[in-house]
Amino acid sequence: MENWDEIRTAYQVARKGTVSGAAEMLGVHHATVIRHIDALEQRLGVKLFQRHARGYTATEAGQDLLQVAQATDDQFTQLAGRIRGQGEGVSGDLVITSLDLFSGMLTPIMVAFQNENPEVNIRYRTGDRVFRLEYGEAHVAIRAGSMPEEPDNVVQPFMSQRMSLVASEAYIARHGRPGGIEDLPNHKFVVFDNEKSRAPFGIWLRERVPEEKFTYRATDNRNMLDAILAGAGLGFVISQELDHHPELVEVVPSDDGWSAPLWLVTHVDLHRTTKVQAFLKFLKAHFKQNAAA
């Protein structure tokens, strides 16, 4: 591609909004950025950016060009991610993604895998955003809820994640323990700060407890656990947390309806690589052993 450097420069200017930001991202002098933009505009015969005091804003023509640049950049990123995952042994980066809710469960397994394979560098990406395997953003994804349907992914059922409704001993000392499900509306709750969440346990709770009882909301599952431990209210945790926090008390028996299926997701191009297969085998063996214990 004869003018790819110039197009890539324009793409970064649009992303960063400034010449200096694009220059830093590309590792070039700001004068090079300006020269590339000027040359590209002259070659195409249109203005790609409106210059103003705050930086650069793409024109309509610029937006059209940048859609092509975005797609091309994504394809290069995808290619690089696939190349990094192919032809390797059990070494190099292993990128795993899940909701941060599962960090406490998965982290010891990832560390144990790394101890057996010291040439592996673990990169654990959590968050609500779905990291795209087709663009090399992760090698293995552990996803919850309905079965993922993205094309070109290999999806395997993993396990059903049980949830427990708990309170800390500190909360119970101050407010007492619920007498049963019918007593839950008389208590305070720590909940996820997303009223549209489709988590089965969240739907169940919203159907039984008035919203004014949701007195502590958080967007981070780690903070939710910390708040429950600190006595802010009752809340849901994955059942494995009870093994790590004896100060947590189940206030009602766990309900099968709160559980969510978990899926192991890999991209078809990387699924059979040595590194990915080694980790999947290790992960499944760990949970099979724990289930038998």
Side-chain angles (χ1 to χ4, degrees), residues 39-57:
L40 191 58
E41 288 182 332
Q42 184 176 3
R43 184 175 292 107
L44 295 174
V46 294
K47 283 291 183 183
L48 298 174
F49 295 96
Q50 295 290 343
R51 281 77 163 170
H52 50 77
R54 296 184 305 277
Y56 281 44
T57 302

Side-chain angles (χ1 to χ4, degrees), residues 3 5-11 13-14 19 32-52 55-63 65-66:
N3 304 317
D5 282 346
E6 295 169 1
I7 296 172
R8 183 178 60 171
T9 298
Y11 172 53
V13 170
V19 168
T32 301
V33 173
I34 295 172
R35 185 172 66 253
H36 281 181
I37 297 299
D38 290 345
L40 191 58
E41 288 182 332
Q42 184 176 3
R43 184 175 292 107
L44 295 174
V46 294
K47 283 291 183 183
L48 298 174
F49 295 96
Q50 295 290 343
R51 281 77 163 170
H52 50 77
Y56 281 44
T57 302
T59 63
E60 184 176 352
Q63 290 291 346
L65 175 70
L66 296 169

Side-chain angles (χ1 to χ4, degrees), residues 16 31 34 50 89 105 129 140 171 205 270 290:
K16 299 297 183 180
I34 295 172
Q50 295 290 343
M105 173 180 70
R129 179 172 82 82
V140 178
Y171 176 90
L205 187 64
L270 299 181
N290 282 2

Side-chain angles (χ1 to χ4, degrees), residues 110-130:
M110 292 186 291
V111 172
F113 179 75
Q114 191 175 42
N115 288 340
E116 288 195 10
N117 302 277
E119 294 185 6
V120 166
N121 299 315
I122 297 292
R123 298 177 64 189
Y124 183 37
R125 294 176 168 175
T126 61
D128 294 327
R129 179 172 82 82
V130 176

